Amino acid sequence: MRKILVTGAAGFIGFHLCSRLAEAGDTVTGLDNLNDYYDINLKKARLEQLEERRNFSFIKHSLEDREEIDALFRKEKFEYVINLAAQAGVRYSLINPYSYVDSNIYGFLNILEGCRHYEVKHLVFASSSSVYGLNTTMPFSVHNNVDHPISLYGATKKSNELMAHSYSYLYGIPTTGLRFFTVYGPWGRPDMALFLFTKAILEDRAIDIFNNGKMKRDFTYIDDIIEGIIRVTAHIPESNERWNGNAPDPASSLSPYKINNIGNNNPVELMKFIEIIEECLGKKAKKNFLPLQPGDVPATFANIDDLMNDVGFRPATPIEKGIENFIKWYKDYYGE
């Protein structure tokens, strides 16, 4: 039985992860600030389910609160930390950039300091496919350079990877960054395409289709994401003794540091994605075609060779099954 801190516990991924860890018998502390970036009632509903478990406890704090985070680490002496809390969303980073620096930079520094001073065995943290930015070599590999993000959100996630590496190098903290690829499924975020499209179609409103529909995303089902996180958490990284500063590998280091992609390794065209939603709903969408939005990329595609080599796992949930599961949850939750 492990003692684990999960930040962002009321969020989409955090909720599912806490459920799975608590079910497995781990002692889980969930931290979240319950901000209003999207419907807070959805976050509270997730927490209500989590708080039914005996080995789960919830604390409401912001990552940016340096004293509170330090006190929490000092009191609880966590063995593992899984940092999922962040200000999410590419497009929102154009509207409120300061929230990204507060949560994703200052907040993450407080997590690193907690791990440094209180002997955490392994820090696993959420990165994002957004770090790939202007990269066009497909599929995206963790061994590729990612120095050209095209959104502040992506830049903060790249910053997290750099900050984690420096702490791993300086203080020997084992750290693993996970680049998630378009996560979807039951209890998903209301600002994500599947939720937005489902809601609009049921309400007879037009859906916004960016880049005139010429988009591809490596949609990854939530259960696959959670399985990947759990396996990676148990796989504590070690120094890559073959690492060479003359030809540096961005995915590993002389320090105990690793980067992995978690994606379905199977990009789906946006128009196909919409067709599947229409089939599951038994209703056609009204479509509003728009140009590519600032910060967006036309396609994502995860190379998951390292994930397979490290923990022997490959996400494999078919998009048809994943969307069907989401729509069933949506109708049940909202009484549609």
Side-chain angles (χ1 to χ4, degrees), residues 41-308:
N41 291 317
L42 181 59
K43 298 180 180 182
K44 289 179 177 179
R46 294 173 182 144
L47 279 178
E48 286 176 6
Q49 291 205 7
L50 290 174
E51 289 176 331
E52 293 176 359
R53 299 184 180 275
R54 288 185 305 169
N55 48 335
F56 174 83
S57 59
F58 176 69
I59 296 175
K60 184 182 178 183
H61 283 319
S62 293
L63 292 188
E64 307 89 282
D65 193 328
R66 178 178 173 182
E67 292 183 358
E68 291 288 358
I69 295 299
D70 181 76
L72 177 63
F73 273 84
R74 184 172 61 251
K75 176 184 176 184
E76 298 294 341
K77 303 293 192 297
F78 299 110
E79 297 173 275
Y80 297 85
V81 174
I82 304 173
N83 185 63
L84 303 176
Q87 178 57 63
V90 169
R91 292 170 194 148
Y92 187 63
S93 66
L94 304 176
I95 300 169
N96 188 4
Y98 290 98
S99 66
Y100 289 78
V101 174
D102 290 342
S103 179
N104 302 6
I105 303 297
Y106 292 135
F108 189 59
L109 176 60
N110 290 336
I111 292 296
L112 288 170
E113 281 288 289
C115 293
R116 168 193 175 188
H117 291 293
Y118 301 103
E119 299 181 351
V120 168
K121 292 180 180 178
H122 189 191
L123 167 63
V124 178
F125 64 96
S127 186
S128 169
S129 61
S130 293
V131 302
Y132 288 101
L134 291 176
N135 286 31
T136 56
T137 301
M138 297 286 181
F140 292 150
S141 170
V142 292
H143 302 288
N144 292 342
N145 178 285
V146 288
D147 285 345
H148 298 87
I150 59 172
S151 69
L152 180 63
Y153 170 66
T156 63
K157 288 300 185 179
K158 168 65 174 175
S159 298
N160 287 169
E161 295 178 3
L162 296 173
M163 293 164 71
H165 179 266
S166 66
Y167 268 67
S168 181
Y169 183 81
L170 289 169
Y171 309 114
I173 303 167
T175 61
T176 302
L178 298 176
R179 294 174 181 168
F180 298 141
F181 281 69
T182 317
V183 189
Y184 75 102
W187 295 95
R189 278 175 25 207
D191 63 324
M192 298 293 284
L194 180 54
F195 199 114
L196 290 169
F197 290 172
T198 299
K199 179 177 172 61
I201 293 169
L202 288 172
E203 295 175 355
D204 291 317
R205 294 184 290 105
I207 61 174
D208 290 337
I209 302 175
F210 297 110
N211 201 30
N212 297 305
K214 298 175 182 178
M215 304 274 271
K216 288 184 178 181
R217 287 291 181 269
D218 204 348
F219 295 101
T220 312
Y221 190 62
I222 183 62
D223 290 359
D224 290 330
I225 291 288
I226 299 307
E227 181 66 24
I229 295 172
I230 288 172
R231 292 196 187 203
V232 165
T233 300
H235 182 80
I236 299 175
E238 299 178 350
S239 168
N240 178 6
E241 296 180 356
R242 293 174 297 177
W243 195 89
N244 183 350
N246 289 323
D249 172 20
S252 64
S253 174
L254 292 174
S255 59
Y257 169 86
K258 192 71 170 67
I259 296 293
N260 278 125
N261 287 331
I262 302 186
N264 207 48
N265 191 231
N266 184 26
V268 175
E269 293 181 355
L270 182 57
M271 298 310 295
K272 176 63 176 177
F273 182 71
I274 294 168
E275 286 177 12
I276 298 169
I277 298 172
E278 291 173 327
E279 290 172 6
C280 289
L281 291 175
K283 189 175 183 180
K284 288 291 185 181
K286 299 175 182 176
K287 302 176 179 70
N288 180 30
F289 290 93
L290 296 169
L292 188 68
Q293 300 295 290
D296 277 355
V297 296
T300 62
F301 182 4
N303 179 314
I304 55 171
D305 290 350
D306 278 50
L307 185 69
M308 280 289 298

